């Protein structure tokens, strides 16, 4: 959730900054178009980097979740086996 909020803030800030920069800058049409292209490249790079970071965070979270689920399942199995009655030959009954 925090990554999404951060990414949204980055994108919104970039768009607002670009708009204010275009409206306030006394430039020719060619200079303005070049400025727009440059800002678009910068924004694109920021989006790519944020996406890469979010994907990496997602992979890390997935691995942590897998580990936690595996640990919980092992603990449940051990507790279930401890609750099963044991036969005289040492094997647990199903």
């Amino acid at each position: 959730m925090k990554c999404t909020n951060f990414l949204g803030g980055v994108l919104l800030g970039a768009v607002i900054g670009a708009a204010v920069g275009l409206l306030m800058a006394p430039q020719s049409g060619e200079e303005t178009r070049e400025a727009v292209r440059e800002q678009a490249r910068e924004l694109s790079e920021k989006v790519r980097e944020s996406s890469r970071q979010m994907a990496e965070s997602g992979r890390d979270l997935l691995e942590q979740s897998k580990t936690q689920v595996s640990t919980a399942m092992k603990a449940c199995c051990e507790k279930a086996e401890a609750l099963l009655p044991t036969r005289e030959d040492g094997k647990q009954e199903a």
Side-chain angles (χ1 to χ4, degrees):
M1 187 63 111
K2 290 182 181 181
C3 281
T4 304
N5 291 338
F6 176 75
L7 180 61
V10 167
L11 293 174
L12 181 61
V15 169
I16 291 172
V20 169
L22 289 174
L23 294 174
M24 303 301 287
Q27 298 175 337
S28 70
E30 183 59 35
E31 290 172 333
T32 301
R33 286 188 291 276
E34 182 57 36
V36 168
R37 281 191 288 272
E38 181 59 32
Q39 289 178 354
R41 281 190 286 266
E42 289 174 9
L43 180 59
S44 176
E45 182 58 36
K46 287 178 184 178
V47 168
R48 266 191 230 110
E49 180 61 23
S50 294
S51 297
R52 186 194 62 74
Q53 289 175 351
M54 288 175 60
E56 187 176 318
S57 295
R59 284 190 293 273
D60 291 344
L61 182 60
L62 178 62
E63 287 304 315
Q64 290 174 0
S65 298
K66 285 180 180 179
T67 300
Q68 289 175 349
V69 167
S70 177
T71 301
M73 287 184 66
K74 287 178 185 176
C76 286
C77 287
E78 290 171 1
K79 288 180 181 181
E81 287 175 0
L83 293 174
L84 290 175
T86 304
R87 299 186 313 200
E88 288 182 18
D89 61 1
K91 294 183 180 178
Q92 291 182 331
E93 295 179 6

